[in-house]
Amino acid sequence: MGRMLEEAVRYARAQDLLHPGMHVLVACSGGPDSLALLDMLLQFRRRFRLVLTAAHFEHGIRGASSAEDARFVAAFCRERKVPCFIGHGDVPAVAKAQGKSVELAARELRYAFLWQTLERCGADVLATAHHADDQAETVLMRILRGTGLDGLAAMKPREGKKIRPLLFARREDILGYCQERGLTPRHDATNDIPDCTRNLLRLKVLPYLRQSCNPEVARALCQLAELARVDCDYLEQQLEESWPYLTREEDGRCSIVLIAFQRRHPALQRRALRRLYTGMAGMGRDLGFSHVEELRLLALSGQATGKTMELPGGIEAHFTYDRLILRPALPKREPQESASAVPVIVPGRIDYGEAVLEAELLEALPAGDGSRGFYLDAGVLRGAPLVLRHRQPGDFIELPTGRKKLKEVLIDDKVPREMRAGLLLLATGHEILWVVGRRRTSHYPVTDQTKRILYFQIKEKGNKK
């Protein structure tokens, strides 16, 4: 066995990439990297008892040359009795129609085909031929665009059902392997044109850095990626252990407990915010540094209660007294005038929005009132008229400890700011008798001297119970 194959076996075992009896779908473009990968796996087939299938996506970018690539891969596989799936697409047309770069459209269409093929043939993993020089290009590209520790980790040997068995190998070693094995891979001429960021880095920037700064720049960048990957794994492990203490699950929605969040290291705080967002937005969506940091500083400020913040993907962050909640952003509505005060007729029934208030006079206390019932001495009727309404400036309520502004009561009760304007109030003038479902006045109590009791019940419209 040659040196390259020995290294490939060691790497596959060290990274736990191949298992006995595994069905591997190999993405093969026909170029040197993917052809070498398919050839190596064919040599591993007996040792690992592998089942191999190949897949090639003909993207239509290079016309007749693209079609010839597909025929070449099909013939290569046929000679070696490897099942091969060929997919076709018009990448330039899709890129134009969707307003995307050709590179992005090609990647999306290619991977859509590969994952569909994996499901179709029942393979366990998808093997791609990314190598060490690809890794160096990826790390450098992410540094230039702006990235964090996860971005520096770049490509991993295994990500879900995707494996990269050649991530240890340099491009020159792969070309040498092809020559030793007598392989005649196809050449994609578009890779020789510095018309996109990756090609520019590979053809211009990295050669310059090798010549002027560090002959081993690719190795250094790959080493950086490996160190970042291990550190990321450790931070994820720490976050996983902290997650049950950092969060609460209610009504199928996860929220961050602010007091627990504030005690964590900033590295875990940022990671927790990103995980919360990904859980809401879906895998493949991440939150940028500026949004993460703005959220984090708000959470640490102690003054975030009631604030909301718009995030990408139609999501908004909302702070309550003790939680950070992510939720779908509510559609913006034109401001509407709040419902005016409605006089309360005793006895009688009053409709107010989706609520119904029933009022009656009793000779004795009701059997039970609960949070949706309220009673007081009917002597209140000798004062200002009773009304059902929402909050107004100057509102107050009489409590056993004395008179208190309604605003202060709602703050003490930790009622979220966005809910306060919608609270239903039974009032006489600016005196609040009942914050429906919450607080009741201590004024006008029912005593032995009470002759008649004024009793209220609040119901949802359409509910007669």
Side-chain angles (χ1 to χ4, degrees):
M1 183 183 295
R3 179 185 61 83
M4 185 77 166
L5 281 177
E6 289 176 359
E7 288 186 21
V9 170
R10 282 197 296 269
Y11 186 76
R13 285 175 171 163
Q15 300 299 333
D16 194 29
L17 301 183
L18 299 175
H19 300 156
M22 179 179 277
H23 185 174
V24 182
L25 176 66
V26 187
C28 185
S29 67
D33 310 331
S34 61
L35 203 65
L37 174 62
L38 180 54
D39 185 75
M40 285 182 187
L41 290 174
L42 281 166
Q43 295 186 71
F44 295 162
R45 182 159 54 178
R46 180 172 296 179
R47 173 181 293 200
F48 288 97
R49 301 197 306 277
L50 299 178
V51 177
L52 297 180
T53 302
H56 173 88
F57 183 72
E58 193 272 297
H59 44 60
I61 296 176
R62 294 166 29 246
S65 295
S66 292
E68 183 56 37
D69 290 346
R71 285 191 290 270
F72 171 83
V73 172
F76 185 91
C77 292
R78 188 167 52 251
E79 290 170 4
R80 291 156 181 81
K81 297 181 172 56
V82 176
C84 181
F85 291 83
I86 305 292
H88 300 272
D90 188 346
V91 169
V94 172
K96 183 177 180 180
Q98 297 182 0
K100 298 176 179 177
S101 68
V102 170
E103 293 75 20
L104 178 59
R107 173 184 169 81
E108 290 179 351
L109 289 176
R110 180 172 66 252
Y111 274 105
F113 163 72
L114 291 173
W115 290 122
Q116 289 169 5
T117 304
L118 182 133
E119 292 297 323
R120 181 179 172 186
C121 71
D124 299 303
V125 292
L126 168 66
T128 63
H130 295 106
H131 50 71
D133 290 273
D134 293 326
Q135 181 80 309
E137 293 163 12
T138 301
V139 174
L140 186 55
M141 187 160 55
R142 292 184 178 182
I143 290 172
L144 295 174
R145 289 177 177 174
T147 191
L149 199 60
D150 292 86
L152 289 178
M155 296 183 287
K156 299 177 181 179
R158 174 187 283 273
E159 292 183 86
K161 290 189 173 185
K162 182 193 291 186
I163 61 172
R164 299 183 175 97
L166 293 185
L167 207 51
F168 71 93
R170 296 292 306 275
R171 181 178 286 112
E172 59 192 38
D173 296 327
I174 293 173
L175 291 174
Y177 175 86
C178 288
Q179 187 172 1
E180 288 176 11
R181 292 283 298 165
L183 302 177
T184 55
R186 299 283 297 171
H187 176 66
D188 185 347
T190 62
N191 291 331
D192 301 331
I193 306 170
D195 60 347
C196 65
T197 303
R198 185 174 289 276
N199 283 6
L200 181 65
L201 293 177
R202 182 175 62 255
L203 299 172
K204 300 287 187 181
V205 178
L206 281 167
Y208 174 81
L209 292 175
R210 275 194 294 270
Q211 182 177 358
S212 304
C213 303
N214 181 1
E216 295 296 324
V217 63
R219 184 185 61 81
L221 289 169
C222 290
Q223 179 177 290
L224 175 62
E226 175 60 18
L227 292 172
R229 180 177 71 85
V230 173
D231 286 356
C232 284
D233 288 346
Y234 175 74
L235 287 173
E236 276 299 309
Q237 177 185 327
Q238 293 297 304
L239 180 60
E240 192 65 34
E241 293 174 1
S242 300
W243 198 247
Y245 308 99
L246 268 173
T247 60
R248 292 291 180 273
E249 189 86 24
E250 295 176 354
D251 300 325
R253 182 174 295 174
C254 185
S255 62
I256 283 180
V257 179
L258 293 178
I259 191 168
F261 178 86
Q262 292 159 359
R263 293 171 180 163
R264 294 307 190 274
H265 189 279
L268 285 185
Q269 290 173 350
R270 294 182 178 115
R271 196 165 284 270
L273 292 172
R274 289 172 54 210
R275 178 185 284 196
L276 187 69
Y277 176 80
T278 300
M280 182 77 184
M283 296 303 293
R285 299 292 299 272
D286 200 1
L287 202 55
F289 177 78
S290 60
H291 285 111
V292 169
E293 203 62 1
E294 188 174 352
L295 267 182
R296 191 178 76 86
L297 295 177
L298 261 178
L300 298 177
S301 70
Q303 300 176 345
T305 302
K307 293 185 177 179
T308 59
M309 177 180 160
E310 290 187 10
L311 301 175
I315 295 172
E316 70 177 14
H318 173 68
F319 288 89
T320 67
Y321 282 91
D322 61 347
R323 305 283 178 85
L324 165 59
I325 302 167
L326 299 191
R327 63 192 184 190
L330 299 174
K332 294 183 179 180
R333 299 176 180 175
E334 294 296 324
Q336 297 179 353
E337 293 185 9
S338 58
S340 57
V342 175
V344 175
I345 301 169
V346 181
R349 171 189 170 101
I350 304 94
D351 289 355
Y352 195 90
E354 295 300 314
V356 175
L357 182 72
E358 293 181 350
E360 55 184 319
L361 291 168
L362 304 177
E363 300 295 330
L365 288 172
D369 61 297
S371 64
R372 303 186 73 80
F374 170 57
Y375 59 85
L376 70 170
D377 192 303
V380 69
L381 295 174
R382 293 192 292 269
L386 300 181
V387 297
L388 196 62
R389 61 172 175 81
H390 293 308
R391 205 162 52 125
Q392 292 179 357
D395 284 346
F396 66 90
I397 188 170
E398 294 286 351
L399 301 175
T401 55
R403 176 179 294 191
K404 198 165 187 177
K405 292 180 180 179
L406 179 62
K407 178 180 179 180
E408 295 174 356
V409 172
L410 298 179
I411 291 173
D412 291 345
D413 289 350
K414 293 183 167 49
V415 178
R417 183 177 299 174
E418 75 277 7
M419 290 179 59
R420 297 174 196 168
L423 292 175
L424 205 53
L425 307 174
L426 180 64
T428 172
H430 281 295
E431 181 179 0
I432 304 304
L433 304 175
W434 187 24
V435 182
V436 174
R438 294 179 179 272
R439 288 275 197 161
R440 308 166 186 220
T441 182
S442 61
H443 209 182
Y444 311 105
V446 174
T447 67
D448 293 341
Q449 306 301 315
T450 297
K451 295 180 180 179
R452 289 192 303 171
I453 298 168
L454 184 54
Y455 179 58
F456 299 95
Q457 275 188 299
I458 194 77
K459 300 178 180 179
E460 293 180 4
K461 193 170 289 185
N463 182 4
K464 297 182 179 179
K465 294 183 179 181

